[in-house]
């Protein structure tokens, strides 16, 4: 079907409908990278809220109700007078567990400052922002407004680099955000793309001099976490994935749970690895097991 394997690619509505119709054994769930992370944090018992935009259609109501059922406050009600339908991503999983995402942006790409409650932002102890939001000027403005409100109230704001192509599109802005925000989470390909080098060591050395807290995942290899002079290298136990969808999202959930509860960098990184391993053991991007129990079994909580 002409799908590029292993990455997220944007599709138009017509292409999305063709792919949707061609899917075998469809399974539907609320999604989105940072939304998956927030849902993971909610399942771990933290009080969470998600700023997003869906249309008041069947899929939008399903999304909003699904987030609420998982314990996350879906801050903005579905929009009734909307032209674009609710966004969706058609994710195809191949026999090796790799996921290939085909995303129709729909109404979510119109997220703007009018969708941001500054009270919600100011009450966030930790704010996690999605790099994909930078694809439109309205999203950039919403991003900046939210992060300013959180940090002005004493909270932490950070970003997911999202994917190497997203980094390529917004390199100058992301280089600035690395310096301005409190933490940045990305994988080795995203960090190398950010600094336009094929040498990860060079990329992380540069990032460490600019970023308050950086996290680098390496797909089955040790995770690197650096905060100032403090560095943790977190070992990873390789797992054969059933479905790799959500691995980075749930790593972020586990790591941010550690950060929120005062764990050290190594423990936070280990929590991220456990959460990622759980989600790739089954289809779907959100945990099925009690991840906190998995933490306890490893003596982390």
């Amino acid at each position: 079907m002409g799908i590029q394997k292993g990455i997220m690619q944007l599709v138009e509505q017509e292409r999305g409908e063709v792919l949707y119709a061609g899917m075998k054994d469809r399974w539907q769930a609320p999604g989105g990278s940072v939304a998956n992370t927030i849902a993971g944090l909610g399942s771990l018992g933290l009080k969470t809220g998600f700023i997003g935009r869906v249309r008041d259609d069947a899929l939008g109501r399903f999304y909003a109700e699904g987030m609420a059922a998982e314990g996350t406050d879906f801050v903005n009600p579905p929009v009734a007078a909307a032209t674009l339908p609710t966004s969706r991503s058609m994710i195809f999983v191949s026999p090796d567990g790799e996921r290939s995402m085909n995303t129709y942006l729909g109404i979510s790409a119109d997220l703007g400052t009018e969708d941001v409650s500054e009270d919600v932002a100011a009450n966030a102890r930790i704010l996690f922002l999605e790099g994909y939001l930078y694809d439109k000027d309205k999203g950039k403005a919403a991003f900046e407004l939210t992060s300013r409100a959180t940090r002005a109230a004493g909270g932490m704001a950070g970003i997911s680099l999202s994917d190497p192509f997203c980094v390529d599109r917004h390199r100058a802005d992301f280089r600035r955000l690395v310096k301005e925000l409190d933490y940045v989470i990305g994988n080795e390909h995203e960090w190398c793309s950010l600094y336009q080098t094929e040498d990860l060591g060079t990329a992380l050395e540069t990032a460490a001099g600019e970023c308050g807290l950086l996290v680098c995942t390496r797909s089955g290899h040790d995770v690197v976490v650096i905060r100032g002079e403090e560095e943790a290298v977190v070992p990873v136990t390789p797992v054969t994935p059933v479905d790799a969808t959500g691995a980075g999202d749930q790593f972020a959930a586990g790591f941010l749970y550690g950060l929120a509860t005062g764990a050290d960098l190594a423990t936070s990184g280990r929590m991220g690895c456990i959460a990622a391993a759980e989600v790739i053991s089954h289809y779907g991007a959100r945990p099925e097991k009690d991840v906190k129990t998995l933490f306890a079994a490893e003596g982390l909580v």
Side-chain angles (χ1 to χ4, degrees):
M1 299 187 76
I3 296 168
Q4 190 169 349
K5 184 177 175 181
I7 66 165
M8 190 286 289
Q9 53 190 350
L10 298 178
V11 299
E12 297 300 323
Q13 185 173 359
E14 183 178 351
R15 167 71 169 163
E17 289 173 355
V18 169
L19 291 174
Y20 184 78
M23 296 187 90
K24 180 182 178 182
D25 301 325
R26 277 197 305 255
W27 181 67
Q28 183 170 291
S33 178
V34 165
N36 292 333
T37 298
I38 300 303
L41 285 163
S43 74
L44 285 164
L46 298 188
K47 185 178 180 182
T48 54
F50 179 68
I51 297 172
R53 186 175 174 87
V54 297
R55 184 177 176 176
D56 188 9
D57 53 19
L59 194 58
R61 291 188 292 273
F62 168 83
Y63 190 100
E65 290 164 6
M67 292 292 287
E70 292 177 336
T72 292
D73 183 8
F74 192 76
V75 174
N76 301 314
V79 181
T83 304
L84 295 172
T86 295
S87 316
R88 72 288 310 265
S89 184
M90 279 62 66
I91 304 173
F92 290 76
V93 182
S94 45
D96 60 359
E98 184 58 270
R99 84 288 182 268
S100 305
M101 297 177 286
N102 305 268
T103 303
Y104 167 59
L105 292 177
I107 192 175
S108 69
D110 284 341
L111 185 81
T113 53
E114 68 275 14
D115 300 300
V116 175
S117 163
E118 293 194 52
D119 287 340
V120 170
N123 279 313
R125 181 177 167 195
I126 298 177
L127 175 70
F128 192 33
L129 297 156
E130 187 165 304
Y132 290 128
L133 196 61
Y134 252 65
D135 276 330
K136 280 197 173 183
D137 289 340
K138 289 179 67 175
K140 290 182 184 181
F143 193 112
E144 303 283 355
L145 174 64
T146 311
S147 60
R148 282 198 305 269
T150 296
R151 300 185 81 214
M156 296 177 63
I159 183 176
S160 159
L161 293 178
S162 295
D163 78 19
F165 301 103
C166 185
V167 173
D168 287 342
R169 293 192 294 271
H170 306 295
R171 183 173 290 106
D173 278 324
F174 282 9
R175 286 289 302 269
R176 172 178 60 83
L177 290 168
V178 163
K179 297 175 184 178
E180 292 178 358
L181 296 178
D182 300 293
Y183 66 92
V184 181
I185 299 176
N187 65 33
E188 57 187 320
H189 306 296
E190 293 155 3
W191 283 111
C192 286
S193 174
L194 185 66
Y195 293 103
Q196 296 178 282
T197 177
E198 294 183 359
D199 183 72
L200 180 62
T202 298
L204 295 185
E205 183 179 359
T206 306
E210 299 180 346
C211 182
L213 169 60
L214 75 86
V215 183
C216 177
T217 59
R218 300 193 296 149
S219 188
H221 300 283
D222 294 350
V223 174
V224 179
V225 187
I226 304 174
R227 180 170 56 195
E229 298 298 315
E230 184 183 4
E231 179 175 343
V233 178
V234 184
V236 171
T237 303
V239 175
T240 301
V242 172
D243 172 14
T245 310
D249 306 339
Q250 294 310 322
F251 172 88
F255 180 82
L256 292 176
Y257 177 82
L259 198 65
T261 56
D264 60 32
L265 296 186
T267 300
S268 298
R270 184 69 191 129
M271 288 175 169
C273 292
I274 290 170
E278 189 283 331
V279 82
I280 67 174
S281 70
H282 56 78
Y283 287 103
R286 299 188 177 183
E288 291 184 350
K289 296 179 182 175
D290 183 340
V291 177
K292 204 174 203 180
T293 299
L294 301 179
F295 293 167
E298 295 286 332
L300 301 179
V301 292

